[in-house]
Amino acid sequence: MGKSFFVYDTSKAFSIFMKYNFAGSAQIKSCGYKTKFNIDNPELYDAFFFIINSVEDFILLKKSCGRLKNIFVSTPIKALEPKINHIDVEELIVFDYAQTKGEVLKEINNYLAIKRII
């Protein structure tokens, strides 16, 4: 198991989804608390997943963008989608949170394959 993913999700539902679907192929580290959010060694992770549930989460994402690679991001909050879509970072991959779990998994796997992560 050589791959490693970092998941930031304050609702914890997406973290559980990632652990359920990728525990056999990647090491998953999750963080669900803004106060404990810290990525000391970003080079240890092959991909980062952010679920944006608030403006504070969005600010954390913006602060992190310059030092992270392969950032997957989504939000269940429609009002935050335009803000996310305006982040001009090559490493940012926006996926649709409103899809079914199967569609989300297929979309994530597709991007992971394109980026040659899996």
Side-chain angles (χ1 to χ4, degrees):
M1 192 171 12
K3 300 300 176 185
S4 184
F5 300 156
F6 185 97
V7 180
Y8 175 80
D9 174 24
T10 56
S11 72
K12 298 183 181 74
F14 188 76
S15 299
I16 293 167
F17 169 82
M18 289 297 291
K19 287 177 182 176
Y20 179 81
N21 287 289
F22 291 97
S25 59
Q27 182 179 3
I28 311 286
K29 178 179 179 187
S30 63
C31 176
Y33 302 100
K34 293 173 196 65
T35 56
K36 294 182 180 181
F37 177 77
N38 187 12
I39 303 172
D40 288 330
N41 299 309
E43 65 279 355
L44 297 178
Y45 301 96
D46 298 292
F48 297 86
F49 294 84
F50 283 82
I51 301 301
I52 307 301
N53 291 305
S54 67
V55 173
E56 292 84 9
D57 293 347
F58 176 75
I59 292 168
L60 273 173
L61 171 67
K62 290 264 304 184
K63 287 179 180 179
S64 302
C65 279
R67 12 178 257 136
L68 308 179
K69 63 179 180 176
N70 301 318
I71 307 166
F72 291 73
V73 64
S74 194
T75 183
I77 303 169
K78 293 290 181 195
L80 291 174
E81 286 178 0
K83 291 183 182 298
I84 292 168
N85 289 326
H86 279 93
I87 298 175
D88 189 25
V89 175
E90 184 179 320
E91 295 292 328
L92 197 69
I93 302 160
V94 180
F95 65 95
D96 186 1
Y97 195 81
Q99 302 177 91
T100 67
K101 289 177 185 176
E103 291 169 326
V104 169
L105 182 60
K106 184 176 178 182
E107 187 173 3
I108 289 171
N109 277 321
N110 184 46
Y111 282 124
L112 289 171
I114 289 170
K115 291 284 194 168
R116 300 175 195 248
I117 297 170
I118 59 167

